[in-house]
Amino acid sequence: MNELIAQSIRRSVWHGWGDPSARRPLSDQGWEELVRQVGADRTVVNPPVPIEEVQLQPSRLDSPVLAALADVVGPDHVHADRPWRVEHAGGKSYPDLHRLRTGDGSQAPDAVVVPGSAAQVAEVLRLCAEHRVAVVPFGGGTSVVGGVGAGAEVSGPDGVSARGRHRAVITLDLRRLTRVVAVDPTSRLATLEAGLRGPEIEQALHPHGLTLGHYPQSHQEATFGGYVATRSAGQASTGYGRVDEIVLGARVVTPRGELVLGGRAPASAAGPRLLDLVVGSEGTLGVITEATVRVAPLPTVKRHAAWFFPTFDAATEALRTLVHSVGHGGMPDVCRLSDEDETRVNLTLAGAAGRRLLRYAALRGTAAPSLLVLVWEGTDGGEVRHRRAVAGRILSRCGGRRLPGEVARAWERTRFSGPYLRDELMDHRVLAETLETATTWDNLRSLHAAVTTAIRSALEVEGRRAIVMCHVSHVYAAGASLYYTFISTEAADPLAQWRSVKTAACDAIVGAGGTITHHHAVGTDHRAYLAAEIGPLGVGLLQAVKDQLDPAGILNPGKLIPDPPGSAPDSAPDRVRDRVRDAARAEA
Amino acid sequence: MNELIAQSIRRSVWHGWGDPSARRPLSDQGWEELVRQVGADRTVVNPPVPIEEVQLQPSRLDSPVLAALADVVGPDHVHADRPWRVEHAGGKSYPDLHRLRTGDGSQAPDAVVVPGSAAQVAEVLRLCAEHRVAVVPFGGGTSVVGGVGAGAEVSGPDGVSARGRHRAVITLDLRRLTRVVAVDPTSRLATLEAGLRGPEIEQALHPHGLTLGHYPQSHQEATFGGYVATRSAGQASTGYGRVDEIVLGARVVTPRGELVLGGRAPASAAGPRLLDLVVGSEGTLGVITEATVRVAPLPTVKRHAAWFFPTFDAATEALRTLVHSVGHGGMPDVCRLSDEDETRVNLTLAGAAGRRLLRYAALRGTAAPSLLVLVWEGTDGGEVRHRRAVAGRILSRCGGRRLPGEVARAWERTRFSGPYLRDELMDHRVLAETLETATTWDNLRSLHAAVTTAIRSALEVEGRRAIVMCHVSHVYAAGASLYYTFISTEAADPLAQWRSVKTAACDAIVGAGGTITHHHAVGTDHRAYLAAEIGPLGVGLLQAVKDQLDPAGILNPGKLIPDPPGSAPDSAPDRVRDRVRDAARAEA
């Protein structure tokens, strides 16, 4: 039952997602739909350039520094060769992949350093601060917000230049920090090193009858440290909790020394929870080397369910009623509700079975249904059945219509494979990207409408058409997340096209009162919008924290923390910058 | 069913707890027990001095500053007279009360300022920064850790002198900030101003069918802002959640401007959660003027249960099994387990019914039982019954023996009245105080033993005897809290006696791996121990945050943030200071 979550894959290919041999190509019928819906052309072929053709600047790390780094981590663990530099030249966002596929290696570090212990991390940071070398912490490399690029120009023409302020940039790859420090079944806690990838965590915990329960779509590649550093949430976080809900402590190596936070108690009133400065710090404040998290019993029972609702609005209202009736703890572990567009697209692309479901809905008078997929997990069959039965009664009362559980099992079998499809689409000059937000229940519908419209309007220019679809993937007592996928044919300048959509979506999110990111983090792509969310005083606070821990500013420059208002323009759209400046003036 | 939690009382008397007319004197049998167990002498009478005899320094606020403050808040809301200054001369810890009862008004502010809006708070802070006047934010004034004193010398002979660095000290009483800003039943959120007291919050929410579910023992006096500022937990927080679990956003006026944090979404990955710097900041970073919190349906169904266990160890193991079986969301809302000593003392003091229960346990072979009190609340009778039945089966399997639910109802009826007893004891020169900690399950027994022994050893000197008793009041998947009450006759110097016990207990907590406070906060009393918990780098981080928001250092000086290692000695015991210094050296 738990095989998939413990299944390791090899490290990701440099120009796309995961292990290309695991790709499941889109069916002919799927392609027909894409042709019909966005005018994709399967005969257009645009593969990535060979790795030899990726343009790299010469490494600017001089031999004495390289030698000093090698003294710390060992000569086998400092890499300035082409494959290592290219493999660390960005994350997995559309712009990151587009750049690499077209031979742009400007995001590559000058070298990749692979420390073997927290002590080595500390020594590397000391060396880098001394030699003005920037450091980009790197876990699984699956950032989709520009969080791990090392280059001069990240998300806009005037983006902060890491290279400009530093003599060189290294990427600090944490893959060797894979110790399982402690497993405490009594307190249901595990202390794990940062470099463990999702399946490796599960492999370590399953023999104890435990699971982390944290399965983002990047689960097979992403690392434990990355989860903590990005405030991650996984597909089952409605049940098992977001990483910020389950983390109890962390060790963080900073240029000023090691921060050891939490771990003594499940809760405390000993002042502000400094651990929450570390969770979500995205490598800008320190390098998380290990953390202590709550773990859960490995499920021995699973129940699946799927429901149709006449509209997305009716379905979100049903989810709200459900969480308010059963409480957060009584919710299904996985709770995933597609809007009308995503339901239609996914079921259409899913082949004959999917189309049968759509016809079934139409026969029952629902032209554009909204599909809800639920999974309950547990170790007590009676309790799991009870939770499912209670939910079933509530959803039924809210206008839901039950579908075969197989619909949910089908989702589960392919839960980690979605991103592979983007590589195939990019091979044919089709743009595909995702973004997400969250808000309170009272604001969910208007945010959903505003962001959908913004993305569609930005894509459907110059005669192009777009698929814009959305699902709720995380449900809380106070609200829910919204996760968008959009697909269209590439414009002449795909990066400019991507940026126009991203800007439109972010503006809509900020304007309609959502958070700029629910679980993808900030990176470079959302950086300019953070000020609209925490205010100029909040930005100043983050910067003060950074100055305290990283006075030389070597850690992941250009990520997370917006430039102060009035400094050189960054990639923020003017009106967001203006809004922040106005707020600063109003404050002064 | 919800009358008690909505019942307002008048503002607290200056020399004790709450409304003295609500005191329920200890029974004759109770006194007999105290005489027997600690040698208390009821004929010794030591009442508080009359308010006229409290020694106050002349107010050092000169007329121009007083006039400027009056211009901001109105002349009726600046108070430099004796009653106001004495009423704000400390919180409700034993040392605070002992000082006032014996006429020591050194903790009194030079004036009390009562702003009527967040804008007035901002203007007061501006004025005070300009004139180097320290500001002590004050909600219900129920701090039991020295969090609201305004004086020169707080918890030790070398304590930081607020007066030393500032021309004067005002207390900022937030009682006029009582707006219910918004109630959103759709998202189950409420935005409330800081000055609302517990019962006023409930009075505002009950007409909406909602409750905050936050009932610390200070509920009738404490304020909403105080809850947030101290990272509070209430008696039902196992069910409804601690304040840090339910807070979604806050507005905080700082000397640098207003911080507006959160509120857009139930969860976010938009960088570190700065809101968690505010929660638990104890008035040192800014003045929380309002916050947005999750609220819950007002219960219409309640079920009570009480259980005996043969030992405290067996009972904690049963609670661990329970929370691991039903999950945090399935736990009883109130979950309160007394150790053997507390069970014996409470049941003995409770009169005939209590003693009958002890005899019942003895007849069944349990000489020193451990009593567990549980309350489930909800709006669905079936669900509440289901939760209770599931819990009953588990507790029974774990060796528990069910008692009449009336035992739990009796606890509930007097849930807020415990602290009144201390006033009566102090009238007869009996020392009574509480302190608390929390830890993970694997460490609970050894922490319990270490702290119990430390308190008893510190009290039982010079022929005195002591009652030292403990209960678990908050249960988590990863661990639980421990709450101690200790009683003994006063020594010749009761403050020195108190300090020796407090030091012994805190050393034991730090040494045995507990957190220095689970829900009482840091204030002055735990300040020296915070460094042992967050390390010197963590202390530096807190100070950097403070410097950013409060550059003049006017906000609640001498609270929460320890002095940096190497600075003038404060109230920390030498060995804790040494430990912190050693850690600082190791880091350097």
Side-chain angles (χ1 to χ4, degrees), chain B residues 191-225:
Chain B
T191 302
L192 307 168
E193 278 198 333
L196 284 162
R197 301 199 298 170
E200 295 162 4
I201 297 169
E202 296 301 322
Q203 289 159 22
L205 294 176
H206 291 192
H208 298 275
L210 297 169
T211 178
L212 183 60
H214 196 80
Y215 319 121
Q217 205 166 34
S218 58
H219 164 78
Q220 294 177 303
E221 292 195 65
T223 56
F224 184 62

Side-chain angles (χ1 to χ4, degrees), chain B residues 503-518:
Chain B
T503 302
C506 290
D507 281 352
I509 288 171
V510 169
T515 179
I516 195 64
T517 171
H518 170 266

Side-chain angles (χ1 to χ4, degrees), chain B residues 252-447:
Chain B
V252 188
V253 174
T254 82
R256 289 284 302 278
E258 191 179 27
L259 262 178
V260 183
L261 296 171
R264 286 177 168 250
S268 170
R273 192 172 183 248
L274 296 181
L275 183 59
D276 271 300
L277 284 179
V278 168
V279 180
S281 59
E282 302 187 20
T284 64
L285 304 179
V287 178
I288 298 162
T289 55
E290 66 178 59
T292 300
V293 284
R294 285 202 284 117
V295 290
L298 186 65
T300 53
V301 183
K302 273 198 194 192
R303 287 291 177 274
H304 300 76
W307 294 74
F308 263 159
F309 285 85
T311 63
F312 182 59
D313 281 356
T316 57
E317 190 59 18
L319 282 185
R320 186 177 78 84
T321 304
L322 180 63
V323 68
H324 285 178
S325 300
V326 302
H328 197 76
M331 284 296 283
D333 297 282
V334 173
C335 189
R336 189 178 180 91
L337 167 68
S338 295
D339 70 359
E340 297 92 342
D341 282 323
E342 184 170 290
T343 301
R344 178 178 47 78
V345 170
N346 281 356
L347 291 181
T348 305
L349 296 188
R355 285 188 293 272
R356 262 201 307 278
L357 286 176
L358 285 174
R359 281 197 301 274
Y360 166 85
L363 280 172
R364 269 150 193 76
T366 302
S370 193
L371 174 65
L372 174 64
V373 162
L374 304 173
V375 185
W376 291 263
E377 302 186 355
T379 55
D380 176 335
E383 271 306 290
V384 171
R385 269 195 306 279
H386 174 77
R387 286 161 66 206
R388 190 173 71 156
V390 169
R393 281 196 294 274
I394 293 166
L395 295 175
S396 194
R397 271 206 303 274
C398 291
R401 194 179 285 274
R402 195 190 295 266
L403 300 174
E406 170 57 20
V407 177
R409 280 188 287 273
W411 166 82
E412 195 179 38
R413 282 193 295 273
T414 57
R415 63 193 297 176
F416 302 129
S417 55
Y420 286 109
L421 180 57
R422 183 177 50 182
D423 293 335
E424 181 178 356
L425 296 182
M426 289 179 82
D427 283 343
H428 299 279
R429 292 201 193 277
V430 174
L431 181 156
E433 181 64 308
T434 63
L435 56 83
E436 34 77 71
T437 178
T439 195
T440 48
W441 288 116
D442 62 308
N443 193 43
L444 197 73
R445 292 175 194 195
S446 69
L447 180 66

Side-chain angles (χ1 to χ4, degrees), chain A residues 230-297:
Chain A
T230 59
R231 248 188 148 74
S232 165
Q235 292 163 345
S237 291
T238 294
Y240 291 94
R242 304 164 51 86
V243 84
D244 43 308
E245 291 173 311
I246 63 173
V247 66
L248 238 74
R251 299 183 84 103
V252 188
V253 174
T254 82
R256 290 285 301 278
E258 190 179 29
L259 263 178
V260 182
L261 295 171
R264 285 176 170 251
S268 170
R273 193 173 183 246
L274 296 180
L275 184 59
D276 271 300
L277 285 178
V278 168
V279 179
S281 58
E282 302 187 20
T284 64
L285 304 180
V287 178
I288 298 162
T289 55
E290 65 178 60
T292 299
V293 285
R294 284 201 286 118
V295 291

Side-chain angles (χ1 to χ4, degrees), chain A residues 197-218:
Chain A
R197 301 200 298 170
E200 294 162 3
I201 297 169
E202 296 301 321
Q203 288 159 23
L205 294 177
H206 291 192
H208 297 277
L210 297 169
T211 178
L212 184 60
H214 196 80
Y215 320 120
Q217 206 167 35
S218 59

